[in-house]
Amino acid sequence: MRGTDLWTMGVIVGLAAVTVLTRCFFFILDRPWGLPEWAHRALHYAPAAALAGVIAPEIVMTQGHLITTLHDARLYAAVVGAAYYYWRRGVLGTMLAGMAVYLPLHLSLGW
């Protein structure tokens, strides 16, 4: 069995050091540190932006290419889900409404 070379060990130790330093950064400081008010405001939008960044490509793309046809159940499910959320503001109902449209179209028509 071959041993690990010096370069690989150096990379592992370096990555471990960076990880420990960044995770313990707030404990190492001798005085309290807070985020500026603009950063607090920006963090309120982070969950919505992350969700949009994950969901939007999944709706309009398939296998890395934009959808070129309207025969895709995801499009209709997204529209119905968005309409339900606009109407009722409920997350569970939004998912159920979207799936109630998606599943029949996908299973029966093969979209």
Side-chain angles (χ1 to χ4, degrees):
M1 189 170 181
R2 229 177 64 169
T4 306
D5 63 345
L6 191 58
W7 174 253
T8 303
M9 288 304 295
V11 169
I12 291 171
V13 170
L15 288 172
V18 168
T19 301
V20 169
L21 182 66
T22 56
R23 290 179 184 257
C24 296
F25 182 71
F26 296 104
F27 299 118
I28 294 172
L29 295 177
D30 59 345
R31 58 186 165 88
W33 185 78
L35 290 173
E37 183 57 34
W38 61 268
H40 277 288
R41 282 193 315 269
L43 285 175
H44 289 288
Y45 298 103
L51 186 62
V54 170
I55 299 297
E58 189 63 34
I59 293 171
V60 299
M61 296 180 80
T62 182
Q63 297 182 2
H65 300 287
L66 285 174
I67 295 172
T68 57
T69 179
L70 292 177
H71 295 287
D72 196 317
R74 294 175 296 177
L75 297 174
Y76 300 103
V79 169
V80 169
Y84 182 88
Y85 184 79
Y86 182 75
W87 177 51
R88 300 290 293 203
R89 302 281 188 209
V91 176
L92 180 61
T94 300
M95 290 188 289
L96 292 175
M99 289 307 291
V101 171
Y102 175 79
L103 282 176
L105 290 176
H106 183 70
L107 295 176
S108 66
L109 299 178
W111 289 3

